[in-house]
Amino acid sequence: PGSYKPISYEQMYSAVYKCVCKQYSEQLYADLMTHVRSRLAQWASQLSNVSEDRFIQEFHQALEQYFHALGGIVPIFTYMNRFYIEAKLHTDLKTELVKLFSSLVADKHVSRLVNLMSAAQSRPFSVPPATMASLCKHLVTLNPEYTSIQPQLFSTYLPNVLPRMTEDDLQA
């Protein structure tokens, strides 16, 4: 926000619509994915250089910014999604963009992030609970298998991460 001249949703959607109608869907999709890949590669590189004490906040900011961006990108490319991605590639744009973040950014940093989050849990309020909950929610959205790194951490903020309790667990 603030660094680009605002363009209306209508103009953007119209441009995508025209590209799809003129049979440029494949090129438009390739260009979008290339652009997102290059941006995510920058973020992954920047996160590699972040100190331990700032890493959770920086990763959270990148994750929030990306999911916020998805809220704008996916609707703008709805027409391309329906008539090219779903019809020919048999997937959808949001799924592909989430996979992209997961593979290019999260997979590289998730073990460091989760270990830092687990350590932060032992120091109350060193990381705001809302930030921890948001990170857990988004990480599970990216890849539910991330919970296996530290199931106890995720179970603090998300339901149904650990196995169901049994009657034998009541004493504990």
Side-chain angles (χ1 to χ4, degrees), residues 39-95:
R39 189 69 184 119
L40 292 177
Q42 288 175 334
W43 284 2
S45 175
Q46 289 169 351
L47 285 169
S48 296
N49 300 324
V50 172
S51 65
E52 302 289 303
D53 59 323
R54 294 276 315 134
F55 189 76
I56 293 174
Q57 286 77 19
E58 293 291 326
F59 193 93
H60 180 253
Q61 182 181 356
L63 202 53
E64 287 288 320
Q65 187 175 350
Y66 191 72
F67 275 93
H68 181 75
L70 286 182
I73 293 168
V74 172
I76 288 170
F77 288 90
T78 298
Y79 197 74
M80 180 183 73
N81 188 44
R82 186 180 310 132
F83 291 99
Y84 175 71
I85 300 171
E86 288 177 358
K88 293 191 177 159
L89 304 180
H90 307 291
T91 185
D92 68 274
L93 183 59
K94 186 171 184 178
T95 301

Side-chain angles (χ1 to χ4, degrees), residues 144-161:
E145 292 177 19
Y146 290 157
T147 59
S148 64
I149 299 169
Q150 288 276 353
Q152 205 64 40
L153 169 71
F154 285 91
S155 72
T156 304
Y157 300 98
L158 301 171
N160 302 322
V161 172

Side-chain angles (χ1 to χ4, degrees), residues 8-25:
S8 77
Y9 171 81
E10 183 183 357
Q11 288 174 310
M12 293 297 286
Y13 185 88
S14 178
V16 170
Y17 177 81
K18 289 173 186 170
C19 286
V20 172
C21 289
K22 292 181 181 180
Q23 306 299 313
Y24 291 111
S25 300

Side-chain angles (χ1 to χ4, degrees), residues 157-168:
Y157 300 98
L158 301 171
N160 302 322
V161 172
L162 296 176
R164 290 179 175 255
M165 282 183 60
T166 63
E167 201 171 311
D168 299 336

